[in-house]
């Protein structure tokens, strides 16, 4: 319609403009050498650079393929602060590329080509990397996939991370389908994870209609009830943070957003978030199917739901613009990754299932931590390499042109989302 087209143009033109709730750009921060020097109270430390044989593919930081290893004195203890002054204390680790759903906005019906088993990080390698990152100031870990509940040693990994000194929070993003299956430890998998120390669960749910769920996920409609039951079970656990994530795709589920809000309206322990659909390799992203965050809010308003904006978030790293629902205790938000990015507050790093460190979700840089570990490098060398990779991080969107179309033009250079980790 004409009004919808006008709304789209308004969202695109305002993507680079300041508006309520938008994060302000921080001043450029110190370099790593300057940061380390300041922390030590002396001059810049000396770097020893060791060349590794071989060539480096364009756009890659893969050390085993031949990138330089930079070992800064004290890098194993220096916090992960980039050149824009952003401190990175949040690590997202993908445990598997496998998934038991085939969501249309994520990947083709036939799935995507997965890594061979020997390419995947082992449990010991994951635990060692967590130890290294904890030493660099990481306090928060989120386990992703694929679908992390498909990894056999999930509970053991969670327990190990929760015990790691410095780690304050271990959470997981899941589709919820397997959370209530029986655990080898007795009870459900969700209960075993809770006992292991997990205190945050984000569950993907894109519709309240079982038939629409079946179309979106390419799985039986009966699976929908399992997800709802899993959310309720997580909600009942004392101290468990529960968020429901809904990716909004025009023509697929935007007409049912109000049903989701009403379902959770009187459940204050569940926060509902609507996410703009993002372009990645193999997910067939189309600009006409993007529903901007402002339009999501307007859709809910037209359905009679009055959203009251919360004051500016106290957490500068929060990715969500939060609202309360008039007359109800519910809290809901929108994540405007495409039309109003929040990169100025980014504190996140990602490790893929095969051990690649991604400093930005949209970037195509990838430092192989797996290859470093398997080549016998010690923790200090790994930490120094992480610092070097962080030094290449762009301010926003992996250095891509700003806005949805700019990101979409380069989506083929990135991995499919399921191979990155949500």
């Amino acid at each position: 319609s004409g009004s919808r087209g006008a709304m789209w143009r308004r969202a695109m033109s305002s993507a680079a403009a300041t508006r309520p709730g938008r994060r302000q750009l921080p001043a450029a921060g110190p370099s790593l050498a300057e940061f380390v020097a300041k922390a030590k109270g002396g001059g810049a430390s000396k770097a020893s650079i060791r060349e590794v044989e071989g060539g480096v593919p364009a756009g890659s930081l893969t050390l085993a393929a031949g990138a330089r290893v930079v070992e800064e004195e004290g890098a194993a203890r220096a916090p992960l602060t980039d050149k824009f002054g952003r401190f990175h204390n949040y690590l997202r680790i993908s445990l598997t590329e496998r998934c038991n759903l085939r969501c249309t906005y994520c990947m083709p019906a036939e799935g995507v080509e997965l890594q061979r088993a020997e390419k995947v990080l082992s449990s010991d390698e994951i635990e060692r990397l967590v130890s290294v990152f904890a030493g660099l100031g990481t306090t928060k870990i989120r386990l992703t996939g694929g679908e992390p509940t498909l990894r056999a040693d999930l509970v053991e990994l969670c327990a190990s991370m929760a015990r790691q000194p410095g780690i304050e929070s271990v959470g997981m993003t899941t589709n919820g389908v397997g959370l209530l299956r029986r655990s080898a430890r007795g009870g459900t998998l969700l209960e075993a994870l809770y006992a292991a120390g997990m205190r945050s669960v984000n569950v993907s749910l894109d519709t309240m209609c079982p038939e629409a769920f079946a179309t979106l996920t390419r799985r039986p409609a009966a699976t929908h009830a399992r997800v709802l039951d899993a959310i309720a079970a997580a909600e009942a656990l004392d101290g468990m943070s529960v968020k429901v994530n809904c990716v909004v795709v025009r023509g697929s589920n935007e007409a049912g957003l109000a049903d989701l809000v009403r379902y959770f309206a009187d459940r204050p322990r569940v926060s509902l978030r609507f996410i703009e659909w993002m372009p990645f390799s193999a997910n067939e992203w189309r600009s006409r199917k993007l529903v901007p965050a402002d339009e999501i809010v307007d859709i809910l308003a037209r359905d009679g739901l009055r959203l009251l904006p919360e004051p500016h978030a106290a957490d500068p790293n929060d990715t969500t613009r939060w609202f309360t629902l008039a007359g109800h205790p519910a809290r809901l938000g929108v994540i405007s990754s495409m039309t109003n990015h929040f990169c100025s507050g980014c504190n996140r790093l990602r490790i893929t299932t095969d051990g690649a460190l991604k400093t930005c979700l949209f970037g195509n840089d990838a430092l192989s931590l797996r290859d470093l570990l398997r080549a016998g490098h010690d923790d200090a060398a790994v930490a120094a390499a992480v610092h070097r990779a962080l030094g290449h991080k762009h301010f926003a969107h992996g250095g891509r042109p700003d806005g949805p179309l700019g990101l979409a033009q380069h989506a083929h250079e990135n991995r499919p989302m399921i191979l990155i980790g949500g």
Side-chain angles (χ1 to χ4, degrees):
S1 68
S3 61
R4 190 168 70 189
M7 185 172 296
W8 167 260
R9 289 189 295 273
R10 187 169 66 249
M12 295 302 98
S13 65
S14 65
T18 299
R19 62 190 182 200
R22 186 175 179 83
R23 281 92 173 153
Q24 300 300 311
L25 309 188
S31 68
L32 172 61
E34 292 168 339
F35 184 88
V36 173
K38 183 177 180 181
K40 297 179 65 175
S45 58
K46 295 181 179 180
S48 66
I49 302 175
R50 180 167 64 252
E51 297 288 337
V52 181
E53 293 183 0
V56 183
S60 172
L61 296 173
T62 308
L63 296 185
R68 294 182 302 174
V69 177
V70 178
E71 293 181 335
E72 290 275 358
E73 180 185 352
R77 298 179 301 277
L80 291 171
T81 302
D82 70 6
K83 59 189 174 185
F84 302 104
R86 298 175 297 195
F87 172 50
H88 295 68
N89 67 331
Y90 182 10
L91 181 64
R92 301 174 70 96
I93 304 174
S94 177
L95 297 182
T96 179
E97 296 172 342
R98 295 181 297 130
C99 189
N100 44 10
L101 301 183
R102 290 292 181 271
C103 297
T104 57
Y105 55 77
C106 183
M107 60 176 160
E110 65 274 15
V112 296
E113 185 176 355
L114 305 180
Q115 300 280 349
R116 298 192 306 273
E118 64 268 21
K119 299 290 187 180
V120 174
L121 286 176
S122 69
S123 299
D124 289 344
E125 288 169 335
I126 291 173
E127 291 174 359
R128 183 178 165 195
L129 288 174
V130 168
S131 176
V132 170
F133 275 85
L136 297 173
T138 294
T139 60
K140 179 180 179 180
I141 291 177
R142 180 160 296 277
L143 306 177
T144 69
E147 173 47 43
T149 61
L150 297 181
R151 180 141 178 162
D153 58 354
L154 172 61
V155 175
E156 291 75 16
L157 282 171
C158 177
S160 172
M161 294 174 191
R163 291 192 303 266
Q164 174 65 46
I167 301 301
E168 300 171 359
S169 172
V170 178
M172 180 175 67
T173 296
T174 173
N175 59 36
V177 173
L179 280 178
L180 297 185
R181 75 168 185 260
R182 305 308 294 177
S183 167
R185 299 186 174 205
T188 66
L189 175 60
L190 175 63
E191 291 167 339
L193 290 168
Y194 181 74
M198 183 170 289
R199 291 297 181 269
S200 173
V201 175
N202 293 357
V203 182
S204 299
L205 178 65
D206 301 310
T207 178
M208 283 306 300
C209 173
E211 290 73 26
F213 177 90
T215 300
L216 279 164
T217 63
R218 304 185 178 106
R219 290 297 183 263
T223 309
H224 185 261
R226 294 166 62 183
V227 179
L228 295 180
D229 290 344
I231 294 170
E235 181 185 9
L237 294 174
D238 184 45
M240 180 70 83
S241 169
V242 184
K243 294 185 177 72
V244 172
N245 292 336
C246 170
V247 176
V248 184
V249 182
R250 194 182 306 282
S252 295
N253 64 340
E254 85 278 15
L257 301 185
D259 294 333
L260 270 168
V261 174
R262 292 189 175 99
Y263 184 78
F264 293 106
D266 296 309
R267 296 166 66 173
R269 297 200 57 215
V270 178
S271 298
L272 175 62
R273 303 190 298 183
F274 296 108
I275 303 172
E276 293 179 344
W277 186 29
M278 296 174 281
F280 293 95
S281 176
N283 77 341
E284 300 183 0
W285 187 90
R286 297 291 183 271
S287 61
R288 67 179 181 275
K289 292 189 174 184
L290 169 64
V291 183
D294 287 349
E295 183 179 348
I296 292 171
V297 174
D298 289 345
I299 288 171
L300 297 175
R302 288 197 299 270
D303 272 312
L305 300 170
R306 188 159 66 94
L307 305 187
L308 307 175
E310 290 188 358
H312 291 304
D315 179 2
N317 307 124
D318 197 352
T319 62
T320 307
R321 182 154 47 112
W322 289 105
F323 300 83
T324 54
L325 180 62
H328 299 271
R331 189 176 192 235
L332 62 149
V334 291
I335 299 180
S336 53
S337 306
M338 303 297 292
T339 62
N340 185 9
H341 73 70
F342 31 79
C343 300
S344 64
C346 184
N347 66 334
R348 293 169 293 283
L349 296 172
R350 287 176 166 82
I351 298 177
T352 63
T353 304
D354 61 338
L357 174 69
K358 286 182 68 70
T359 62
C360 176
L361 179 62
F362 292 104
N364 67 339
D365 60 317
L367 163 68
S368 180
L369 299 176
R370 177 202 65 205
D371 290 351
L372 269 180
L373 297 180
R374 295 181 184 180
H377 294 288
D378 61 18
D379 289 357
V382 174
V386 171
H387 272 295
R388 180 174 181 267
L390 186 59
H392 289 266
K393 182 167 181 171
H394 295 273
F395 179 74
H397 285 169
R400 305 299 182 214
D402 201 14
L405 298 181
L407 289 173
Q409 289 170 358
H410 294 272
H412 67 282
E413 300 170 12
N414 203 353
R415 299 184 180 206
M417 184 61 170
I418 194 169
L419 303 188
I420 298 173

